Amino acid sequence: MKIGIIGLGLMGGSMALALRNKGLATQLVGTDNNALHAAQALERGLVDQVVPLEDLMALVDVVVLATPVDVALPLAQTLLDQTQGHILLDMGSTKANLVSAIQNHPKRGRWVATHPMWGTENSGPLAAVQGAFQGKACVICDRENTAPDALTWVENLYQNLGMHLMYMKADEHDMHVAYISHISHITSFALANTVLGKEREEEAIFELASGGFESTVRLAKSDPNMWVPIFLQNKENLLDVLNEHISQLRKFKACLEKENKEYLQELIQHANGIRRILG
Amino acid sequence: MKIGIIGLGLMGGSMALALRNKGLATQLVGTDNNALHAAQALERGLVDQVVPLEDLMALVDVVVLATPVDVALPLAQTLLDQTQGHILLDMGSTKANLVSAIQNHPKRGRWVATHPMWGTENSGPLAAVQGAFQGKACVICDRENTAPDALTWVENLYQNLGMHLMYMKADEHDMHVAYISHISHITSFALANTVLGKEREEEAIFELASGGFESTVRLAKSDPNMWVPIFLQNKENLLDVLNEHISQLRKFKACLEKENKEYLQELIQHANGIRRILG
């Protein structure tokens, strides 16, 4: 199979490495609207060649869309317009807007809406990681709208990369990722801004920062070009979670103000229940 | 030197391992008001013997106080009452209440108020870690109130463990740790409670949780018996940081509500500045 990848950053680049490592592509062709990223991807050998977007479809059997989700939205429709039986998939972190944008397209069946649940706070082709997807979950949304051959090929692809598949409606997916991914990024960004406000006064305090601090603010390094469109596309779900999170923080605030030791103990014991999930 | 350790949990246990590993104690004597912890510490060989608290001072030259900070407060005064030239130090995460409680004690000079900046989300003797303090910062507070021989001995101790020393007033320390440690714990606890509320509805969503989620909620596993007293002792500083953090979260909320892409981009770019600190 000749495979094209649009967007050679963290996700697209890691997909390229995985496809090559597993011998799943006879040829890898990439495209990226950032000339530096395109050159870096070639130099790292992520893809065999880089071509302009308009030349890609003619050269490949499968197209993997790995751009930020705002770019993916119009591109998905263009790709469907041009497809001659390709298998088309995207790797975006929001799914409802995408499946809604393509739902009435006559070639809708060629599209597989996927979200491999892996990422880091880094971006660009140099951030791509070998073995990235191994052992993680991959969500496939609205599979009933995808042609059986395209669905089967993409299922096999992700299983070959060591992922276990989960199936959801796109709306359900977007609500879930608001809870277990998007809110974590918001809190990290906000926490970074909280402490960076203080940094102006006294730089030395950060010598004190140990593992706990790094852990909670690591995601604050993440790329705005990736995350702004995700947050805006998942706005409604994210606002629900954010409101709930602020109300949870206010409980801690009230406990401190009233020195309510018992309730503070209770809140923390409840939070300890996260061990059930994280192990 | 014969060294006594009061509290054989994460901090005291890790200190015992470090002292033994560096050959800094001819004998290690422990005490713990939790009988199971005392037995586990003996079984792991963290200490050579466990004795009742009231017998400890007669057996050792140095006492390391490694209990939760609420227990440390009255204990510090008892230990100073009983000391016959011992070197006494505590490892607590809050310092202002402690130094204030002992400031007028006639034997105040025997006390060294320290905070080695290391920890994990685990607790108890089984959570103690070899090499825990290596490469981290250790804060020594209000050193001018400590006798030179006691100060020098403790400075050498931490340097032998591979720590670099920082000196601060206790008030200054407490304000700084509110920003770079305590607030991270509050946000993790609150985030865990936010998502655990959802878990009741749909357990499956947590199969989706990947590294980013784990990173931001890891600290939510932390022990309430350690953290409730820290939060209450550092209440004023923590309320300042918590108010600031909630106001930072509200900025993200307003951006989402108004779909203000430019300001959202700006907030995230500002948060990216955390790379200056975390590297």
Side-chain angles (χ1 to χ4, degrees):
Chain A
M1 280 291 209
K2 294 177 187 165
I3 302 183
I5 300 179
I6 303 176
L8 299 168
L10 174 70
M11 299 303 285
S14 298
M15 175 56 86
L17 285 170
L19 289 168
R20 181 139 9 233
N21 181 250
K22 299 285 182 179
L24 296 171
T26 53
Q27 205 182 359
L28 280 166
V29 186
T31 186
D32 199 303
N33 63 5
N34 177 321
L36 175 64
H37 283 185
Q40 287 172 332
L42 260 185
E43 195 178 322
R44 260 196 91 176
L46 298 180
V47 290
D48 301 307
Q49 58 172 319
V50 168
V51 300
L53 177 59
E54 56 271 28
D55 298 343
L56 187 72
M57 296 286 271
L59 297 172
V60 298
D61 311 303
V62 175
V63 178
V64 179
L65 183 53
T67 64
V69 294
D70 55 339
V71 179
L73 218 47
L75 252 182
Q77 299 178 71
T78 309
L79 294 174
L80 281 172
D81 290 343
Q82 297 172 355
T83 184
Q84 307 286 341
H86 296 80
I87 294 167
L88 306 168
L89 63 141
D90 75 289
M91 304 173 74
S93 297
T94 51
K95 295 262 88 68
N97 284 24
L98 183 106
V99 301
S100 158
I102 62 174
Q103 73 179 351
N104 295 319
H105 197 287
K107 298 180 185 161
R108 167 66 181 90
R110 304 317 302 160
W111 200 278
V112 195
T114 80
H115 183 198
M117 300 299 300
W118 174 85
T120 76
E121 69 276 24
N122 302 313
S123 56
L126 302 183
V129 173
Q130 185 66 267
F133 307 104
Q134 182 73 41
K136 306 290 183 186
C138 181
V139 182
I140 295 181
C141 289
D142 297 9
R143 64 172 151 173
E144 63 282 7
N145 297 330
T146 294
D149 71 300
L151 181 63
T152 302
W153 191 88
V154 171
E155 288 173 331
N156 287 338
L157 163 67
Y158 283 117
Q159 282 169 335
N160 278 324
L161 302 189
M163 305 197 83
H164 57 277
L165 301 176
M166 298 179 72
Y167 300 94
M168 292 180 196
K169 299 299 293 175
D171 289 347
E172 196 188 349
H173 164 275
D174 284 11
M175 186 268 284
H176 289 168
V177 292
Y179 277 87
I180 53 78
S181 167
H182 301 175
I183 187 68
S184 288
H185 286 80
I186 296 270
T187 59
S188 267
F189 289 131
L191 187 57
N193 285 341
T194 302
V195 298
L196 286 167
K198 197 69 186 172
E199 185 203 26
R200 263 172 268 144
E201 296 169 42
E202 309 197 42
E203 295 209 5
I205 72 171
F206 294 106
E207 281 192 49
L208 300 179
S210 54
F213 178 72
E214 175 147 10
S215 171
T216 45
V217 295
R218 178 173 65 78
L219 297 180
K221 300 175 182 175
S222 303
D223 185 3
N225 296 317
M226 172 173 173
W227 285 98
V228 168
I230 291 173
F231 293 158
L232 291 175
Q233 286 195 15
N234 207 15
K235 169 188 156 177
E236 298 300 338
N237 289 310
L238 202 40
L239 279 171
D240 285 349
V241 191
L242 193 47
N243 283 327
E244 173 61 22
H245 182 56
I246 290 172
S247 108
Q248 290 292 344
L249 283 169
R250 284 216 193 90
K251 291 183 189 174
F252 280 89
K253 187 180 158 185
C255 281
L256 289 174
E257 284 167 345
K258 295 171 192 157
E259 301 196 8
N260 187 339
K261 188 177 163 177
E262 289 67 33
Y263 190 35
L264 192 50
Q265 180 94 14
E266 207 176 289
L267 288 175
I268 295 179
Q269 274 166 346
H270 186 263
N272 287 169
I274 205 70
R275 283 188 186 268
R276 291 198 305 273
I277 293 158
L278 300 183
Chain B
M1 280 290 207
K2 295 178 188 164
I3 302 183
I5 300 180
I6 303 177
L8 298 168
L10 174 69
M11 299 303 286
S14 297
M15 175 57 86
L17 285 170
L19 289 167
R20 189 162 329 258
N21 181 250
K22 299 285 182 181
L24 296 170
T26 53
Q27 206 182 359
L28 280 166
V29 186
T31 184
D32 199 303
N33 64 4
N34 177 322
L36 175 62
H37 283 185
Q40 287 173 332
L42 259 185
E43 195 177 322
R44 259 197 90 175
L46 298 179
V47 290
D48 301 307
Q49 58 172 319
V50 168
V51 301
L53 178 58
E54 57 270 26
D55 298 343
L56 187 72
M57 296 286 272
L59 298 171
V60 298
D61 310 302
V62 175
V63 178
V64 178
L65 183 53
T67 65
V69 295
D70 56 338
V71 179
L73 219 47
L75 252 183
Q77 298 177 74
T78 310
L79 294 173
L80 280 172
D81 290 344
Q82 296 172 356
T83 184
Q84 307 286 341
H86 296 81
I87 293 167
L88 307 169
L89 64 142
D90 74 291
M91 304 174 74
S93 298
T94 50
K95 294 262 89 67
N97 284 25
L98 183 107
V99 300
S100 157
I102 62 174
Q103 73 180 352
N104 296 319
H105 197 286
K107 296 181 186 161
R108 167 65 181 91
R110 304 317 303 159
W111 200 277
V112 195
T114 81
H115 183 197
M117 299 299 299
W118 174 85
T120 76
E121 68 276 23
N122 301 313
S123 57
L126 302 183
V129 173
Q130 184 66 267
F133 307 103
Q134 183 71 42
K136 304 290 183 187
C138 180
V139 181
I140 296 181
C141 290
D142 297 8
R143 64 172 152 175
E144 64 280 9
N145 297 330
T146 294
D149 70 301
L151 181 63
T152 302
W153 190 90
V154 172
E155 288 172 331
N156 287 337
L157 163 68
Y158 283 117
Q159 283 168 335
N160 278 325
L161 302 189
M163 305 197 84
H164 57 277
L165 301 177
M166 298 179 72
Y167 299 94
M168 292 180 196
K169 298 298 296 175
D171 288 346
E172 195 189 351
H173 164 275
D174 283 11
M175 188 268 286
H176 289 168
V177 293
Y179 276 88
I180 52 79
S181 167
H182 302 175
I183 186 68
S184 288
H185 286 80
I186 295 269
T187 60
S188 266
F189 289 131
L191 186 57
N193 284 342
T194 302
V195 298
L196 286 168
K198 196 69 187 173
E199 185 203 26
R200 261 172 270 143
E201 296 168 43
E202 308 198 42
E203 295 209 3
I205 73 171
F206 294 105
E207 282 191 49
L208 301 179
S210 53
F213 178 72
E214 175 148 11
S215 171
T216 45
V217 296
R218 180 174 63 79
L219 298 179
K221 300 174 182 175
S222 303
D223 185 3
N225 296 316
M226 172 172 174
W227 285 98
V228 168
I230 290 173
F231 292 158
L232 292 175
Q233 285 196 15
N234 207 15
K235 168 189 158 177
E236 298 300 338
N237 289 311
L238 201 41
L239 279 171
D240 285 347
V241 190
L242 192 48
N243 283 328
E244 171 62 21
H245 182 57
I246 290 172
S247 107
Q248 291 291 345
L249 284 169
R250 284 214 195 91
K251 291 182 190 175
F252 280 89
K253 187 180 159 186
C255 282
L256 289 174
E257 283 166 345
K258 295 171 193 157
E259 302 196 9
N260 188 338
K261 190 176 161 176
E262 289 67 33
Y263 190 36
L264 193 50
Q265 181 94 14
E266 206 177 289
L267 288 175
I268 295 179
Q269 275 166 346
H270 186 263
N272 286 170
I274 204 72
R275 283 189 187 270
R276 292 198 302 274
I277 293 158
L278 298 183

